[in-house]
Amino acid sequence: MKRLILLLFFLSAAQSIAQGDEPLAPSRLPEPVQWLQKYLQIPSVSGEEARAGSFLKELCKSHGLFVKEMGQDDGNYNFTASLFPLEDNKPNIVLLNHLDVVPESENNIFGPYSGVIENGSIYGRGAVDNKGAAIMQLAALVKIKQSENYRESEYNISLLSVSCEETQCPGGIQHVLENFRNELNAAVVIGEGPTEITELLEGEFPKPIFGISVAHKRAYWLELELEIETLGHGSVTPLTYANKELVTALDKLLKKKQKTIFNEVNTSFLKEMAQYRTGLERFVLKHPRFFKPLLVPKLRKSPELFSIFSNTVTLTNLNSSSQALNTNSVVAKAGLDCRLLPETDEVEFEADLRKKLKNDKIKITVVKSTPRNRPSSSKTLFYENLQAAILENYPGVTTMKLIMPNINDMGYFRARDVPAYGTIPINLSRVQAKSIHGDDEYITLKALNDGTNVFYNFLKKMIYHRSSVQTAP
């Protein structure tokens, strides 16, 4: 299970795009592939999304979707593209995606914004996270509009594309929900999440497993600051000075083991994993709360896995008021990336953290705190139909509900009691997973088509839903 984090953070073998050695001409590529290729060729690092957003918005308009602008500037470029006008006020199935990408890496074989197609795969920053996922959603929505009798649907369907997901700036989803929440009228949100997971797990599995996230940890980013007036010259070592006292406090904090917390979602994961084990291990996993003393040491050996069973504290930076090697700094600072399980109270967490530091002179400032939220139920019509769509597209597989250790924009909906489910329903190899936020990010054309089909089948089930009918005829 050591590589579970690769799956949880981001969420198929390469297929030939044509018979023989000659690639298809651009005009012969499937439309969604052409869309993604053009989309990838537009840089959209966080805070610089407007040009990519304009391209996607115009693409939506060209296919007859009803577009509502919700911000038109870099750092806050957002819009919906809907099956029905938002003014109809139908309960809305929101397909959430983000326009922004992380900065390009330095070791790409292909250009970071090339959109090049080679050996059945398309390359470029955002190919999976999150431009590829957005194109799957859009292609599914367009197919519903073009081929299904959707006019009697009880639900609207809206593609919601936002800025600033990667950096969590005040624009993007925060702006949308502060200003357009009622118009959006979200009944459910489908956003980014895990893929097929057995490629990234330890052990053997008789069939593939597709993850659906129903919860995620939330960010609680802290800055620690300690100021101590002291002798300036480094040739004389004071009895106490800022750098020394802060490092000493951090050492005490980071040596303390984080408490293991079992909740409904992470224990459900262990119980699901039991069916893939034998003997005593199987029995222990089926009863995780009873055998918690046995499980905790094993969980701690895998930081990636343990992250969904604990609140984590990571020291991400250290700095001081002086960079000169011969000068004692008056001020020392540290940055902590804390990730909290959904049920954690941040006031109690901060009090416990301060107790572990054992230094009341350290000032703690909350830099970022995403809202508290509850896991979404897996007993809803939305989850059941999403699960069914995955099972239909991939015969013989199974699904598993998961908690994500990273943050994303779905948390802002969960905090408002809107059910939100995360998945990028594709096969993803370890090599592909490593390319996300890394070098030469890519997605196979087969995966792009498979993901589109899953979303289309899910949406088809929803538009034919009636009070007594849950799936399409």
Side-chain angles (χ1 to χ4, degrees):
M1 300 180 188
K2 293 180 180 177
R3 295 180 176 83
L4 177 62
I5 195 67
L6 289 174
L7 160 77
L8 297 177
F9 265 91
F10 308 105
L11 346 110
S12 62
Q15 302 290 318
S16 175
I17 60 174
Q19 296 296 321
D21 296 327
E22 292 299 320
L24 289 173
S27 60
R28 293 177 56 201
L29 291 169
E31 269 197 328
V33 177
Q34 297 181 48
W35 301 345
L36 180 57
Q37 188 172 46
K38 293 176 182 177
Y39 193 17
L40 291 174
Q41 290 169 345
I42 306 173
S44 58
V45 173
S46 299
E48 302 174 6
E49 305 94 345
R51 193 159 72 92
S54 178
F55 163 78
L56 192 61
K57 180 181 69 177
E58 294 305 316
L59 182 61
C60 292
K61 285 182 178 179
S62 71
H63 286 84
L65 298 174
F66 294 92
V67 169
K68 171 73 175 181
E69 296 176 351
M70 298 180 175
Q72 294 298 294
D73 300 319
D74 277 332
N76 191 32
Y77 196 102
N78 323 292
F79 68 90
T80 55
S82 307
L83 200 57
F84 299 96
L86 293 184
E87 292 75 14
D88 287 2
N89 203 36
K90 288 177 177 282
N92 206 353
I93 298 169
V94 176
L95 305 176
L96 177 64
N97 62 86
H98 58 89
L99 303 163
D100 60 318
V101 299
V102 299
E104 58 268 24
S105 56
E106 298 180 354
N107 300 310
N108 292 286
I109 296 175
F110 306 102
Y113 308 111
S114 66
V116 68
I117 297 173
E118 184 165 304
N119 296 324
S121 297
I122 184 167
Y123 290 79
R125 175 63 81 228
V128 177
D129 181 20
N130 192 233
K131 293 181 176 181
I135 293 300
M136 294 176 207
Q137 295 172 343
L138 175 58
L141 179 52
V142 169
K143 189 174 180 181
I144 289 289
K145 183 172 179 62
Q146 293 176 343
S147 63
E148 299 298 332
N149 181 17
Y150 63 86
R151 298 193 182 279
E152 299 302 317
S153 171
E154 296 178 4
Y155 294 99
N156 196 357
I157 304 170
S158 293
L159 186 81
L160 172 57
S161 300
V162 300
S163 295
C164 266
E165 190 273 347
E166 297 289 1
T167 56
Q168 292 289 299
C169 76
I173 196 63
Q174 296 180 59
H175 173 82
V176 169
L177 291 179
E178 287 170 4
N179 296 278
F180 302 96
R181 178 186 173 189
N182 291 336
E183 290 177 67
L184 191 60
N185 197 26
V188 68
V189 176
I190 309 297
E192 66 178 308
T195 60
E196 197 284 323
I197 69 175
T198 59
E199 274 280 323
L200 309 172
L201 294 177
E202 207 174 64
E204 296 183 2
F205 299 87
K207 53 187 174 182
I209 305 170
F210 282 79
I212 301 174
S213 71
V214 298
H216 67 281
K217 296 174 76 173
R218 56 197 184 90
Y220 196 60
W221 297 342
L222 304 176
E223 181 184 75
L224 275 55
E225 180 179 341
L226 182 59
E227 181 175 351
I228 299 177
E229 294 288 346
T230 187
L231 296 172
H233 204 285
S235 62
V236 177
T237 304
L239 294 177
T240 180
Y241 54 100
N243 283 341
K244 172 187 173 182
E245 299 304 322
L246 183 59
V247 168
T248 299
L250 288 169
D251 184 60
K252 294 174 183 176
L253 170 67
L254 299 175
K255 281 184 176 178
K256 291 284 187 181
K257 291 183 178 180
Q258 290 297 318
K259 180 181 178 182
T260 306
I261 301 171
F262 277 10
N263 59 32
E264 190 274 332
V265 180
N266 59 28
T267 55
S268 173
F269 168 76
L270 294 176
K271 291 175 183 178
E272 291 278 354
M273 293 302 298
Q275 64 182 300
Y276 305 107
R277 298 295 183 260
T278 59
L280 180 60
E281 185 180 9
R282 180 189 182 100
F283 185 75
V284 169
L285 289 172
K286 288 177 70 175
H287 304 88
R289 293 185 186 274
F290 184 81
F291 290 105
K292 187 175 180 180
L294 289 178
L295 286 169
V296 169
K298 286 185 171 291
L299 293 173
R300 288 190 184 278
K301 290 180 179 180
S302 172
E304 300 89 351
L305 185 55
F306 188 66
S307 68
I308 66 172
F309 290 89
S310 68
N311 299 314
T312 56
V313 179
T314 304
L315 175 64
T316 52
N317 62 73
L318 285 167
N319 60 78
S320 55
S321 55
S322 174
Q323 301 303 311
L325 293 179
N326 64 343
T327 302
N328 289 321
S329 294
V330 173
V331 178
K333 294 182 179 181
L336 298 179
D337 182 349
C338 306
R339 302 297 173 109
L340 309 185
L341 290 166
E343 62 269 33
T344 301
D345 181 277
E346 60 266 30
V347 175
E348 293 178 3
F349 174 82
E350 186 175 325
D352 181 64
L353 184 142
R354 184 174 288 282
K355 183 179 178 181
K356 293 174 180 176
L357 286 168
K358 295 184 178 181
N359 190 327
D360 294 336
K361 295 179 181 179
I362 295 174
K363 177 184 175 183
I364 299 177
T365 302
V366 179
V367 177
K368 177 75 175 179
S369 177
T370 54
R372 294 183 70 178
N373 59 87
R374 294 184 296 178
S376 299
S377 172
S378 59
K379 304 299 183 183
T380 67
L381 176 71
F382 308 112
Y383 184 95
E384 291 170 359
N385 279 345
L386 181 59
Q387 180 184 51
I390 292 172
L391 298 178
E392 290 171 10
N393 193 74
Y394 301 101
V397 308
T398 188
T399 63
M400 184 182 294
K401 62 181 180 181
L402 298 171
I403 181 172
M404 303 283 282
N406 60 308
I407 59 174
N408 62 42
D409 286 342
M410 287 189 295
Y412 293 95
F413 288 94
R414 290 190 182 120
R416 292 165 170 80
D417 293 323
V418 177
Y421 306 107
T423 183
I424 301 179
I426 62 173
N427 287 295
L428 193 74
S429 68
R430 290 185 182 182
V431 174
Q432 283 178 277
K434 289 180 180 179
S435 77
I436 298 172
H437 287 204
D439 298 328
D440 290 315
E441 184 176 347
Y442 73 99
I443 187 171
T444 68
L445 304 191
K446 182 181 185 305
L448 187 69
N449 184 64
D450 284 340
T452 298
N453 287 339
V454 170
F455 287 131
Y456 167 69
N457 287 332
F458 164 70
L459 296 177
K460 184 177 177 181
K461 292 174 185 297
M462 295 310 307
I463 65 167
Y464 288 114
H465 166 72
R466 300 294 181 267
S467 298
S468 59
V469 180
Q470 294 196 1
T471 59

